[in-house]
Amino acid sequence: MLGLTEFDKSLLNLLQGSIALSQRPFRDMAEKLGSDEQTVIDRINLLKENGYVRRIGAFFNSEKLGYTGTLVAVSVKPDKIASVAEAINKYPGITHNYERECDYNLWFTLLTPDSETHDRIINEIGALPGVEKLMDLSARRKYKINVRFNLK
Amino acid sequence: MLSELDKRIVRAMQGDFPICAEPYKKIAQEVGIPVELLLERLTLMKEQGQIRKLGAVLRHREIGFSANVLCVWVVPEERMEKVAANMCLNAAVTHCYDRNTMPDWPYNFYTMIHGSSREECEAIVDELAIENNLSERRLLFTLKEWKKTSMSYFTE
């Protein structure tokens, strides 16, 4: 894998913050880095190819788009975990699904456009063979969402 | 709620952002609108908070944050605001949520913590516990990532 240069770290730190809403956003970014547009574009593409970047784009506040999010924990019989996890993964509104060190061994996030869809999915998952218990842990308040790492 | 035009813009912006000299022009062409209108709508969506961020999310393992843990806490309601504000200040804490509890699950505060190792994550949690005078907590380390994707809005 490509090692990160000092330039890459500065570039990634800027890129994690904000891409300008302008006609030539990477020229603006290049100016801040004392570089030029083409260098910045080439380097970002290289960093992407080398697997440093999960996604570059817009990240939305799901509530403000009319969606409701929740975190769901299920307790699954150990021999059924793969089949339950795979069934859960099929729902497009479920974006994260992790097996965790806990008696509630599967944890997933669910985004739905209305409460009918939410209730239907929760009921369907609760009825999957091997699911023993389910907790729907809706958020009362979100204090922080900031997946940003300072590269030094 | 969002207009049909804004929904089309969300659909075009939720994938991979083009890395080229005029990325918004490319997206505007996809949506079928002038680039000026696209920039105007995006600026407004950012101001109104529908767009949380326009930028990159990195793969944390590749950049040296190879461990993470979901740590759940019991925070007394009357101290929630203060504890939450304090935890949010810590750069290792990327997510802070207040969630409802269940009869066999007393934890009401959820934090996602990133570090370079499992030991470092545990040390950060210990520090947060002392700083915030919290005793009840549980660390839910990941055993397996079964799914991790970005949401596709307005596609159903």
Side-chain angles (χ1 to χ4, degrees):
Chain A
M1 186 185 261
L2 182 79
L4 291 179
T5 64
E6 289 307 310
F7 178 78
D8 293 336
K9 290 179 189 173
S10 307
L11 175 59
L12 288 173
N13 284 338
L14 269 186
L15 202 58
Q16 287 182 88
S18 191
I19 296 172
L21 283 160
S22 67
Q23 303 269 359
R24 307 281 289 271
F26 298 115
R27 189 174 64 187
D28 299 345
M29 198 172 278
E31 267 172 36
K32 286 188 191 164
L33 293 163
S35 180
D36 63 273
E37 188 180 37
Q38 198 54 48
T39 304
V40 164
I41 288 171
D42 291 344
R43 207 64 198 170
I44 294 174
N45 281 318
L46 192 69
L47 291 167
K48 274 178 74 178
E49 281 163 28
N50 279 272
Y52 286 104
V53 179
R54 177 166 292 284
R55 187 167 75 88
I56 298 173
F59 293 82
F60 296 96
N61 178 329
S62 44
E63 271 74 25
K64 292 202 172 168
L65 296 187
Y67 285 72
T68 305
T70 187
L71 176 70
V72 182
V74 283
S75 172
V76 185
K77 280 188 193 144
D79 61 319
K80 294 280 191 221
I81 195 128
S83 62
V84 170
E86 279 155 21
I88 288 172
N89 287 355
K90 289 199 181 109
Y91 294 94
I94 295 173
T95 54
H96 294 63
N97 182 16
Y98 293 92
E99 190 174 336
R100 295 195 178 278
E101 286 176 12
C102 185
D103 43 336
Y104 286 93
N105 43 3
L106 267 187
W107 292 70
F108 63 88
T109 58
L110 171 64
L111 283 169
T112 46
D114 52 67
S115 57
E116 290 75 25
T117 311
H118 165 270
D119 295 351
R120 175 178 57 78
I121 294 173
I122 294 290
N123 288 334
E124 285 172 4
I125 290 172
L128 288 170
V131 171
E132 293 174 320
K133 286 190 287 181
L134 181 150
M135 298 193 289
D136 185 0
L137 302 163
S138 59
R140 289 186 299 193
R141 186 158 167 198
K142 296 181 180 178
Y143 286 96
K144 184 180 187 181
I145 311 172
N146 183 16
V147 188
R148 190 170 169 180
F149 302 97
N150 190 15
L151 303 181
K152 288 171 206 159
Chain B
M1 217 15 66
L2 262 69
S3 67
E4 279 311 310
L5 172 62
D6 285 345
K7 286 185 185 175
R8 271 158 57 202
I9 292 173
V10 169
R11 283 187 208 107
M13 290 293 296
Q14 66 191 352
D16 268 329
F17 191 70
I19 309 299
C20 59
E22 296 180 283
Y24 296 108
K25 199 171 161 187
K26 208 169 164 190
I27 288 174
Q29 280 165 355
E30 223 176 275
V31 181
I33 55 172
V35 66
E36 292 77 14
L37 177 59
L38 175 70
L39 288 171
E40 193 183 296
R41 296 310 304 167
L42 288 174
T43 303
L44 197 68
M45 287 167 87
K46 218 176 158 187
E47 278 169 13
Q48 293 173 344
Q50 283 124 339
I51 294 179
R52 230 177 346 104
K53 154 167 158 174
L54 183 56
V57 167
L58 306 184
R59 288 189 198 274
H60 50 81
R61 282 180 194 85
E62 278 69 8
I63 53 165
F65 294 84
S66 50
N68 66 77
V69 68
L70 172 64
C71 183
V72 297
W73 310 79
V74 177
V75 177
E77 285 301 327
E78 67 277 10
R79 290 175 52 215
M80 179 60 83
E81 291 276 330
K82 217 178 157 190
V83 168
N86 192 44
M87 291 230 194
C88 289
L89 289 176
N90 193 312
V93 180
T94 57
H95 298 69
C96 278
Y97 285 33
D98 173 357
R99 296 189 181 277
N100 62 315
T101 58
M102 292 286 156
D104 67 340
W105 192 259
Y107 307 97
N108 59 348
F109 193 66
Y110 288 64
T111 51
M112 202 68 218
I113 291 156
H114 290 262
S116 58
S117 64
R118 186 178 174 120
E119 292 67 33
E120 192 185 58
C121 289
E122 285 167 347
I124 294 166
V125 168
D126 288 343
E127 261 172 53
L128 289 170
I130 294 166
E131 259 175 45
N132 296 286
N133 191 25
L134 297 170
S135 51
E136 264 188 276
R137 61 177 187 270
R138 250 181 104 159
L139 288 100
L140 309 175
F141 280 99
T142 306
L143 289 172
K144 185 169 174 164
E145 183 181 297
W146 286 93
K147 187 178 186 183
K148 187 171 184 181
T149 53
S150 304
M151 180 62 181
S152 290
Y153 296 97
F154 309 120
T155 51
E156 61 282 302

